[in-house]
Short mmCIF file of all heavy atoms in Angstrom, two decimals:
data_model
loop_
_atom_site.label_atom_id
_atom_site.label_comp_id
_atom_site.label_asym_id
_atom_site.label_seq_id
_atom_site.Cartn_x
_atom_site.Cartn_y
_atom_site.Cartn_z
N TYR A 315 8.20 -12.13 34.87
CA TYR A 315 8.92 -11.66 36.08
C TYR A 315 7.92 -11.40 37.19
O TYR A 315 6.72 -11.24 36.96
CB TYR A 315 9.73 -10.41 35.76
CG TYR A 315 10.76 -10.60 34.69
CD1 TYR A 315 10.69 -9.85 33.52
CD2 TYR A 315 11.78 -11.54 34.83
CE1 TYR A 315 11.62 -10.05 32.51
CE2 TYR A 315 12.72 -11.72 33.83
CZ TYR A 315 12.66 -10.96 32.69
OH TYR A 315 13.55 -11.15 31.71
N ILE A 316 8.42 -11.35 38.41
CA ILE A 316 7.56 -11.00 39.52
C ILE A 316 7.09 -9.55 39.38
O ILE A 316 7.73 -8.76 38.69
CB ILE A 316 8.27 -11.18 40.86
CG1 ILE A 316 9.45 -10.19 41.02
CG2 ILE A 316 8.74 -12.62 41.05
CD1 ILE A 316 10.12 -10.25 42.36
N SER A 317 5.99 -9.22 39.97
CA SER A 317 5.44 -7.84 39.85
C SER A 317 6.27 -6.86 40.64
O SER A 317 7.04 -7.21 41.54
CB SER A 317 4.02 -7.82 40.35
OG SER A 317 3.91 -8.05 41.75
N ARG A 318 6.13 -5.62 40.28
CA ARG A 318 6.80 -4.53 40.98
C ARG A 318 6.38 -4.52 42.46
O ARG A 318 7.17 -4.30 43.36
CB ARG A 318 6.44 -3.19 40.32
CG ARG A 318 7.25 -2.02 40.83
CD ARG A 318 6.72 -0.75 40.19
NE ARG A 318 6.59 -0.90 38.77
CZ ARG A 318 7.55 -0.64 37.89
NH1 ARG A 318 8.74 -0.24 38.34
NH2 ARG A 318 7.38 -0.82 36.60
N GLU A 319 5.08 -4.75 42.70
CA GLU A 319 4.55 -4.71 44.08
C GLU A 319 5.20 -5.82 44.91
O GLU A 319 5.51 -5.62 46.08
CB GLU A 319 3.04 -4.91 44.06
CG GLU A 319 2.25 -3.69 43.51
CD GLU A 319 2.37 -3.55 42.02
OE1 GLU A 319 2.73 -4.53 41.34
OE2 GLU A 319 2.05 -2.43 41.50
N LYS A 320 5.42 -6.99 44.29
CA LYS A 320 6.02 -8.10 45.04
C LYS A 320 7.46 -7.82 45.34
O LYS A 320 7.96 -8.12 46.43
CB LYS A 320 5.90 -9.40 44.20
CG LYS A 320 6.37 -10.64 45.00
CD LYS A 320 6.06 -11.90 44.21
CE LYS A 320 6.45 -13.14 45.04
NZ LYS A 320 6.11 -14.40 44.31
N ALA A 321 8.17 -7.17 44.40
CA ALA A 321 9.57 -6.82 44.62
C ALA A 321 9.67 -5.78 45.71
O ALA A 321 10.54 -5.84 46.61
CB ALA A 321 10.18 -6.28 43.31
N GLU A 322 8.77 -4.79 45.70
CA GLU A 322 8.80 -3.76 46.75
C GLU A 322 8.47 -4.37 48.12
O GLU A 322 9.10 -4.03 49.12
CB GLU A 322 7.73 -2.70 46.43
CG GLU A 322 8.10 -1.85 45.23
CD GLU A 322 7.02 -0.88 44.84
OE1 GLU A 322 5.90 -0.95 45.43
OE2 GLU A 322 7.22 -0.02 43.96
N ALA A 323 7.52 -5.34 48.13
CA ALA A 323 7.15 -5.99 49.39
C ALA A 323 8.34 -6.78 49.97
O ALA A 323 8.56 -6.80 51.18
CB ALA A 323 5.97 -6.92 49.16
N ALA A 324 9.14 -7.42 49.08
CA ALA A 324 10.32 -8.17 49.54
C ALA A 324 11.35 -7.20 50.14
O ALA A 324 11.96 -7.52 51.18
CB ALA A 324 10.91 -8.93 48.37
N ALA A 325 11.51 -6.07 49.53
CA ALA A 325 12.47 -5.08 50.05
C ALA A 325 12.00 -4.53 51.37
O ALA A 325 12.80 -4.39 52.34
CB ALA A 325 12.67 -3.96 49.04
N LEU A 326 10.74 -4.23 51.52
CA LEU A 326 10.17 -3.68 52.73
C LEU A 326 10.32 -4.72 53.88
O LEU A 326 10.68 -4.36 55.01
CB LEU A 326 8.73 -3.31 52.54
CG LEU A 326 8.46 -2.10 51.64
CD1 LEU A 326 6.98 -1.98 51.35
CD2 LEU A 326 8.98 -0.79 52.28
N LYS A 327 10.03 -5.97 53.55
CA LYS A 327 10.12 -7.03 54.59
C LYS A 327 11.55 -7.18 55.11
O LYS A 327 11.83 -7.29 56.27
CB LYS A 327 9.61 -8.34 54.05
CG LYS A 327 9.63 -9.49 55.03
CD LYS A 327 9.07 -10.78 54.43
CE LYS A 327 9.10 -11.93 55.45
NZ LYS A 327 8.56 -13.17 54.85
N ASP A 328 12.49 -7.14 54.14
CA ASP A 328 13.90 -7.31 54.47
C ASP A 328 14.35 -6.10 55.34
O ASP A 328 15.15 -6.28 56.27
CB ASP A 328 14.72 -7.42 53.24
CG ASP A 328 16.21 -7.66 53.55
OD1 ASP A 328 16.56 -8.84 53.82
OD2 ASP A 328 17.01 -6.68 53.55
N ALA A 329 13.84 -4.92 55.03
CA ALA A 329 14.22 -3.72 55.78
C ALA A 329 13.54 -3.63 57.10
O ALA A 329 13.96 -2.81 57.94
CB ALA A 329 13.92 -2.50 54.89
N GLY A 330 12.47 -4.39 57.30
CA GLY A 330 11.74 -4.35 58.53
C GLY A 330 10.91 -3.08 58.70
O GLY A 330 10.73 -2.62 59.85
N VAL A 331 10.39 -2.54 57.61
CA VAL A 331 9.58 -1.32 57.69
C VAL A 331 8.28 -1.55 56.97
O VAL A 331 8.13 -2.47 56.10
CB VAL A 331 10.30 -0.11 57.08
CG1 VAL A 331 11.54 0.25 57.91
CG2 VAL A 331 10.70 -0.38 55.62
N LYS A 332 7.27 -0.70 57.27
CA LYS A 332 5.98 -0.81 56.59
C LYS A 332 5.89 0.20 55.46
O LYS A 332 6.52 1.27 55.50
CB LYS A 332 4.88 -0.54 57.61
CG LYS A 332 4.80 -1.52 58.73
CD LYS A 332 3.69 -1.17 59.69
CE LYS A 332 3.61 -2.14 60.88
NZ LYS A 332 2.56 -1.77 61.84
N ARG A 333 5.10 -0.17 54.46
CA ARG A 333 4.95 0.70 53.30
C ARG A 333 4.44 2.09 53.69
O ARG A 333 4.87 3.08 53.11
CB ARG A 333 3.97 0.05 52.29
CG ARG A 333 3.78 0.86 51.00
CD ARG A 333 2.82 0.13 50.06
NE ARG A 333 3.39 -1.14 49.57
CZ ARG A 333 4.15 -1.19 48.47
NH1 ARG A 333 4.41 -0.10 47.74
NH2 ARG A 333 4.61 -2.39 48.07
N ALA A 334 3.55 2.15 54.66
CA ALA A 334 3.00 3.43 55.08
C ALA A 334 4.03 4.35 55.73
O ALA A 334 3.77 5.53 55.84
CB ALA A 334 1.82 3.19 56.04
N ASP A 335 5.15 3.77 56.14
CA ASP A 335 6.17 4.56 56.85
C ASP A 335 7.33 5.00 55.97
O ASP A 335 8.29 5.55 56.46
CB ASP A 335 6.70 3.79 58.04
CG ASP A 335 5.62 3.45 59.06
OD1 ASP A 335 4.70 4.27 59.18
OD2 ASP A 335 5.71 2.40 59.75
N VAL A 336 7.28 4.69 54.67
CA VAL A 336 8.38 5.02 53.77
C VAL A 336 7.88 5.79 52.54
O VAL A 336 6.68 5.75 52.24
CB VAL A 336 9.16 3.80 53.32
CG1 VAL A 336 9.66 3.01 54.52
CG2 VAL A 336 8.32 2.91 52.40
N THR A 337 8.82 6.40 51.84
CA THR A 337 8.54 7.08 50.56
C THR A 337 9.48 6.44 49.51
O THR A 337 10.69 6.38 49.72
CB THR A 337 8.81 8.59 50.66
OG1 THR A 337 7.93 9.16 51.61
CG2 THR A 337 8.58 9.21 49.28
N PHE A 338 8.87 5.92 48.45
CA PHE A 338 9.69 5.34 47.38
C PHE A 338 10.24 6.42 46.47
O PHE A 338 9.50 7.31 46.00
CB PHE A 338 8.84 4.35 46.58
CG PHE A 338 8.72 3.00 47.23
CD1 PHE A 338 7.67 2.78 48.12
CD2 PHE A 338 9.62 1.98 46.96
CE1 PHE A 338 7.54 1.56 48.74
CE2 PHE A 338 9.48 0.76 47.57
CZ PHE A 338 8.45 0.53 48.46
N GLU A 339 11.53 6.36 46.23
CA GLU A 339 12.20 7.28 45.27
C GLU A 339 12.40 6.64 43.92
O GLU A 339 12.42 7.35 42.89
CB GLU A 339 13.54 7.77 45.83
CG GLU A 339 13.40 8.66 47.06
CD GLU A 339 14.73 9.26 47.43
OE1 GLU A 339 15.72 8.49 47.52
OE2 GLU A 339 14.78 10.46 47.63
N LYS A 340 12.57 5.35 43.88
CA LYS A 340 12.76 4.64 42.64
C LYS A 340 12.23 3.19 42.79
O LYS A 340 12.43 2.57 43.80
CB LYS A 340 14.24 4.57 42.24
CG LYS A 340 14.51 3.84 40.91
CD LYS A 340 16.00 3.59 40.69
CE LYS A 340 16.73 4.85 40.40
NZ LYS A 340 18.14 4.58 40.02
N SER A 341 11.57 2.74 41.74
CA SER A 341 11.10 1.34 41.70
C SER A 341 10.96 1.01 40.21
O SER A 341 9.97 1.26 39.58
CB SER A 341 9.73 1.20 42.40
OG SER A 341 9.31 -0.13 42.39
N LYS A 342 12.06 0.45 39.68
CA LYS A 342 12.17 0.32 38.23
C LYS A 342 12.66 -1.08 37.83
O LYS A 342 13.57 -1.62 38.37
CB LYS A 342 13.17 1.36 37.74
CG LYS A 342 13.40 1.38 36.23
CD LYS A 342 14.40 2.47 35.88
CE LYS A 342 14.68 2.48 34.35
NZ LYS A 342 15.66 3.49 34.00
N LEU A 343 11.98 -1.65 36.84
CA LEU A 343 12.42 -2.92 36.25
C LEU A 343 13.50 -2.57 35.23
O LEU A 343 13.26 -1.83 34.29
CB LEU A 343 11.25 -3.61 35.60
CG LEU A 343 11.54 -4.98 34.93
CD1 LEU A 343 12.10 -5.99 35.92
CD2 LEU A 343 10.27 -5.54 34.27
N ASP A 344 14.67 -3.22 35.36
CA ASP A 344 15.78 -2.85 34.50
C ASP A 344 16.64 -4.10 34.31
O ASP A 344 16.27 -5.20 34.67
CB ASP A 344 16.62 -1.76 35.17
CG ASP A 344 17.44 -0.95 34.16
OD1 ASP A 344 17.50 -1.33 33.01
OD2 ASP A 344 17.98 0.10 34.58
N ARG A 345 17.81 -3.92 33.70
CA ARG A 345 18.74 -5.04 33.51
C ARG A 345 20.06 -4.68 34.17
O ARG A 345 20.53 -3.56 34.09
CB ARG A 345 18.95 -5.32 32.02
CG ARG A 345 17.83 -6.13 31.42
CD ARG A 345 18.23 -6.74 30.08
NE ARG A 345 17.16 -7.53 29.52
CZ ARG A 345 16.93 -8.80 29.83
NH1 ARG A 345 17.74 -9.43 30.71
NH2 ARG A 345 15.94 -9.47 29.30
N ASP A 346 20.68 -5.70 34.75
CA ASP A 346 22.04 -5.62 35.26
C ASP A 346 22.83 -6.72 34.57
O ASP A 346 22.74 -7.90 34.97
CB ASP A 346 22.06 -5.85 36.79
CG ASP A 346 23.46 -5.70 37.36
OD1 ASP A 346 24.40 -5.43 36.61
OD2 ASP A 346 23.64 -5.83 38.60
N GLY A 347 23.49 -6.34 33.46
CA GLY A 347 24.07 -7.37 32.60
C GLY A 347 23.00 -8.15 31.89
O GLY A 347 22.09 -7.60 31.27
N ASP A 348 23.00 -9.46 32.02
CA ASP A 348 22.00 -10.34 31.42
C ASP A 348 20.84 -10.62 32.36
O ASP A 348 19.90 -11.32 31.98
CB ASP A 348 22.62 -11.66 30.97
CG ASP A 348 23.65 -11.46 29.88
OD1 ASP A 348 23.47 -10.50 29.08
OD2 ASP A 348 24.61 -12.27 29.80
N ARG A 349 20.89 -10.07 33.54
CA ARG A 349 19.87 -10.37 34.54
C ARG A 349 18.84 -9.24 34.65
O ARG A 349 19.23 -8.09 34.72
CB ARG A 349 20.51 -10.61 35.91
CG ARG A 349 19.58 -11.20 36.98
CD ARG A 349 20.14 -10.97 38.37
NE ARG A 349 21.47 -11.52 38.60
CZ ARG A 349 21.72 -12.63 39.27
NH1 ARG A 349 20.76 -13.30 39.87
NH2 ARG A 349 22.96 -13.03 39.41
N ALA A 350 17.57 -9.60 34.66
CA ALA A 350 16.51 -8.63 34.89
C ALA A 350 16.37 -8.39 36.38
O ALA A 350 16.30 -9.35 37.16
CB ALA A 350 15.18 -9.08 34.30
N VAL A 351 16.37 -7.10 36.77
CA VAL A 351 16.31 -6.81 38.20
C VAL A 351 15.35 -5.62 38.41
O VAL A 351 15.05 -4.87 37.53
CB VAL A 351 17.70 -6.42 38.76
CG1 VAL A 351 18.71 -7.54 38.61
CG2 VAL A 351 18.22 -5.14 38.06
N TYR A 352 14.93 -5.53 39.66
CA TYR A 352 14.22 -4.34 40.11
C TYR A 352 15.18 -3.47 40.93
O TYR A 352 15.79 -3.95 41.89
CB TYR A 352 13.01 -4.69 41.00
CG TYR A 352 11.79 -5.16 40.22
CD1 TYR A 352 11.49 -6.51 40.11
CD2 TYR A 352 10.96 -4.24 39.65
CE1 TYR A 352 10.36 -6.92 39.40
CE2 TYR A 352 9.82 -4.61 38.92
CZ TYR A 352 9.53 -5.98 38.80
OH TYR A 352 8.43 -6.39 38.11
N ASP A 353 15.32 -2.22 40.52
CA ASP A 353 16.11 -1.25 41.29
C ASP A 353 15.09 -0.49 42.17
O ASP A 353 14.21 0.21 41.65
CB ASP A 353 16.82 -0.25 40.38
CG ASP A 353 18.04 -0.88 39.71
OD1 ASP A 353 18.65 -1.74 40.38
OD2 ASP A 353 18.32 -0.56 38.57
N ILE A 354 15.26 -0.61 43.47
CA ILE A 354 14.27 -0.03 44.39
C ILE A 354 14.99 0.82 45.41
O ILE A 354 15.95 0.36 46.07
CB ILE A 354 13.46 -1.14 45.08
CG1 ILE A 354 12.70 -1.93 44.07
CG2 ILE A 354 12.52 -0.56 46.13
CD1 ILE A 354 11.95 -3.15 44.62
N GLU A 355 14.55 2.04 45.57
CA GLU A 355 15.09 2.96 46.56
C GLU A 355 13.92 3.59 47.30
O GLU A 355 12.96 4.03 46.70
CB GLU A 355 15.96 4.04 45.91
CG GLU A 355 17.21 3.49 45.24
CD GLU A 355 18.01 4.59 44.56
OE1 GLU A 355 17.72 5.77 44.86
OE2 GLU A 355 18.90 4.28 43.75
N PHE A 356 14.07 3.70 48.63
CA PHE A 356 13.03 4.34 49.45
C PHE A 356 13.68 4.83 50.74
O PHE A 356 14.85 4.47 51.04
CB PHE A 356 11.85 3.39 49.74
CG PHE A 356 12.26 2.09 50.37
CD1 PHE A 356 12.26 1.94 51.77
CD2 PHE A 356 12.58 0.99 49.60
CE1 PHE A 356 12.60 0.72 52.36
CE2 PHE A 356 12.92 -0.26 50.18
CZ PHE A 356 12.93 -0.39 51.55
N TYR A 357 12.96 5.64 51.46
CA TYR A 357 13.51 6.14 52.70
C TYR A 357 12.42 6.27 53.75
O TYR A 357 11.22 6.46 53.45
CB TYR A 357 14.21 7.48 52.52
CG TYR A 357 13.32 8.62 52.09
CD1 TYR A 357 12.59 9.36 53.03
CD2 TYR A 357 13.19 8.97 50.78
CE1 TYR A 357 11.74 10.41 52.64
CE2 TYR A 357 12.39 10.03 50.37
CZ TYR A 357 11.68 10.76 51.32
OH TYR A 357 10.89 11.76 50.94
N SER A 358 12.82 6.14 55.03
CA SER A 358 11.94 6.40 56.17
C SER A 358 12.42 7.66 56.85
O SER A 358 13.28 8.38 56.34
CB SER A 358 12.00 5.19 57.14
OG SER A 358 13.30 5.11 57.72
N ALA A 359 11.86 7.96 58.02
CA ALA A 359 12.30 9.16 58.73
C ALA A 359 13.76 9.08 59.16
O ALA A 359 14.48 10.09 59.30
CB ALA A 359 11.43 9.36 59.96
N GLU A 360 14.28 7.82 59.38
CA GLU A 360 15.62 7.66 59.88
C GLU A 360 16.64 7.17 58.90
O GLU A 360 17.84 7.48 59.02
CB GLU A 360 15.62 6.67 61.09
CG GLU A 360 14.81 7.09 62.28
CD GLU A 360 13.31 6.81 62.10
OE1 GLU A 360 13.02 5.92 61.30
OE2 GLU A 360 12.51 7.45 62.80
N LYS A 361 16.19 6.38 57.87
CA LYS A 361 17.19 5.72 57.02
C LYS A 361 16.80 5.83 55.52
O LYS A 361 15.63 6.06 55.18
CB LYS A 361 17.28 4.23 57.39
CG LYS A 361 17.94 3.96 58.72
CD LYS A 361 18.12 2.44 58.91
CE LYS A 361 18.81 2.11 60.24
NZ LYS A 361 19.01 0.68 60.42
N GLU A 362 17.81 5.59 54.71
CA GLU A 362 17.63 5.47 53.24
C GLU A 362 18.01 4.04 52.85
O GLU A 362 18.98 3.48 53.39
CB GLU A 362 18.56 6.48 52.51
CG GLU A 362 18.20 7.91 52.81
CD GLU A 362 19.11 8.88 52.09
OE1 GLU A 362 20.04 8.43 51.42
OE2 GLU A 362 18.88 10.11 52.21
N TYR A 363 17.20 3.47 51.93
CA TYR A 363 17.41 2.09 51.56
C TYR A 363 17.57 1.99 50.07
O TYR A 363 16.90 2.67 49.29
CB TYR A 363 16.15 1.25 51.98
CG TYR A 363 15.84 1.33 53.45
CD1 TYR A 363 15.04 2.37 53.98
CD2 TYR A 363 16.27 0.36 54.34
CE1 TYR A 363 14.74 2.43 55.32
CE2 TYR A 363 15.97 0.41 55.69
CZ TYR A 363 15.19 1.46 56.16
OH TYR A 363 14.88 1.52 57.52
N ASP A 364 18.48 1.05 49.64
CA ASP A 364 18.71 0.80 48.22
C ASP A 364 18.77 -0.69 48.02
O ASP A 364 19.62 -1.35 48.60
CB ASP A 364 20.07 1.48 47.83
CG ASP A 364 20.32 1.41 46.33
OD1 ASP A 364 19.52 0.74 45.63
OD2 ASP A 364 21.28 2.01 45.89
N TYR A 365 17.86 -1.19 47.21
CA TYR A 365 17.77 -2.65 46.96
C TYR A 365 17.85 -2.96 45.48
O TYR A 365 17.39 -2.19 44.63
CB TYR A 365 16.46 -3.21 47.50
CG TYR A 365 16.47 -3.47 48.99
CD1 TYR A 365 16.20 -2.45 49.90
CD2 TYR A 365 16.76 -4.73 49.48
CE1 TYR A 365 16.22 -2.70 51.26
CE2 TYR A 365 16.74 -4.96 50.85
CZ TYR A 365 16.49 -3.97 51.73
OH TYR A 365 16.51 -4.18 53.10
N GLU A 366 18.45 -4.12 45.16
CA GLU A 366 18.41 -4.71 43.83
C GLU A 366 17.86 -6.12 44.01
O GLU A 366 18.43 -6.92 44.74
CB GLU A 366 19.76 -4.73 43.19
CG GLU A 366 19.76 -5.18 41.73
CD GLU A 366 21.09 -5.06 41.08
OE1 GLU A 366 21.41 -3.94 40.53
OE2 GLU A 366 21.86 -6.01 41.08
N ILE A 367 16.75 -6.41 43.32
CA ILE A 367 16.07 -7.70 43.51
C ILE A 367 15.94 -8.43 42.15
O ILE A 367 15.56 -7.81 41.16
CB ILE A 367 14.67 -7.45 44.08
CG1 ILE A 367 14.84 -6.86 45.50
CG2 ILE A 367 13.87 -8.74 44.13
CD1 ILE A 367 13.53 -6.55 46.19
N ASP A 368 16.31 -9.70 42.16
CA ASP A 368 16.19 -10.50 40.94
C ASP A 368 14.73 -10.57 40.50
O ASP A 368 13.84 -10.94 41.26
CB ASP A 368 16.70 -11.93 41.22
CG ASP A 368 16.82 -12.75 39.93
OD1 ASP A 368 15.79 -12.93 39.27
OD2 ASP A 368 17.93 -13.23 39.65
N ALA A 369 14.44 -10.08 39.29
CA ALA A 369 13.09 -9.98 38.82
C ALA A 369 12.46 -11.32 38.50
O ALA A 369 11.22 -11.44 38.34
CB ALA A 369 13.01 -9.10 37.58
N LEU A 370 13.29 -12.38 38.41
CA LEU A 370 12.74 -13.70 38.09
C LEU A 370 12.48 -14.49 39.37
O LEU A 370 11.41 -15.11 39.52
CB LEU A 370 13.70 -14.44 37.20
CG LEU A 370 13.21 -15.79 36.62
CD1 LEU A 370 12.01 -15.56 35.71
CD2 LEU A 370 14.32 -16.47 35.82
N THR A 371 13.41 -14.47 40.32
CA THR A 371 13.31 -15.29 41.52
C THR A 371 12.83 -14.52 42.75
O THR A 371 12.43 -15.14 43.74
CB THR A 371 14.65 -15.95 41.82
OG1 THR A 371 15.60 -14.94 42.18
CG2 THR A 371 15.14 -16.73 40.60
N GLY A 372 13.02 -13.20 42.76
CA GLY A 372 12.72 -12.44 43.92
C GLY A 372 13.86 -12.37 44.91
O GLY A 372 13.75 -11.76 46.01
N GLU A 373 15.01 -12.95 44.57
CA GLU A 373 16.19 -12.98 45.47
C GLU A 373 16.73 -11.55 45.62
O GLU A 373 16.81 -10.79 44.65
CB GLU A 373 17.27 -13.87 44.88
CG GLU A 373 18.55 -13.90 45.73
CD GLU A 373 19.67 -14.64 45.02
OE1 GLU A 373 19.43 -15.17 43.91
OE2 GLU A 373 20.80 -14.67 45.56
#
Side-chain angles (χ1 to χ4, degrees):
Y315 301 118
I316 64 174
S317 67
R318 188 186 312 273
E319 290 74 17
K320 188 171 182 178
E322 291 175 353
L326 291 170
K327 182 178 180 180
D328 184 81
V331 295
K332 298 179 180 179
R333 184 179 292 271
D335 297 330
V336 304
T337 298
F338 280 87
E339 291 189 310
K340 180 190 291 187
S341 183
K342 180 181 179 182
L343 180 59
D344 204 349
R345 281 197 178 274
D346 183 0
D348 295 330
R349 190 198 304 253
V351 299
Y352 280 101
D353 286 326
I354 298 175
E355 296 178 13
F356 55 93
Y357 65 84
S358 65
E360 297 83 20
K361 291 184 179 181
E362 296 178 357
Y363 303 85
D364 186 353
Y365 279 84
E366 186 174 274
I367 296 178
D368 190 301
L370 189 62
T371 66
E373 177 188 359

